[in-house]
Amino acid sequence: MPTSFLEIVELPDGRIALRRAEDEEALVVLDFSEDAKAFLQGHHVEVAKAMLNVGVQMAGKMAEGDFERDMEPRVLH
């Protein structure tokens, strides 16, 4: 992926998107349920920012070859 500035935006429908600053198309979209938003007491945007930040950092490490992946099956939870 070419280097460009990324921005995190809240879409009109309430979803949170990561996109290139010069593009309207989302690279990643996070959609919190109403239950999740209630649990987070309105702080879902901050949680989304943290989630996307870690994802971008991990993608950068993978692109640089600094990321080691286990070949064993992983449990996601």
Side-chain angles (χ1 to χ4, degrees):
M1 181 185 316
T3 302
S4 61
F5 289 102
L6 300 175
E7 62 183 7
I8 298 170
V9 296
E10 186 168 8
L11 301 174
D13 62 5
R15 296 179 302 152
I16 310 299
L18 175 69
R19 65 185 184 193
R20 290 185 186 95
E22 68 278 359
D23 195 358
E24 290 294 316
E25 184 178 347
L27 299 169
V28 176
V29 177
L30 297 174
D31 188 7
F32 289 88
S33 70
E34 291 305 316
D35 285 345
K37 288 178 183 178
F39 176 77
L40 295 171
Q41 300 177 1
H43 296 287
H44 65 284
V45 174
E46 289 82 4
V47 172
K49 287 179 185 179
M51 293 169 70
L52 293 168
N53 184 33
V54 171
V56 168
Q57 288 176 16
M58 180 176 260
K61 287 181 180 183
M62 291 172 70
E64 294 171 359
D66 292 341
F67 181 79
E68 292 184 24
R69 181 174 175 202
D70 295 333
M71 298 310 287
E72 296 182 24
R74 298 180 297 167
V75 176
L76 305 177
H77 37 139

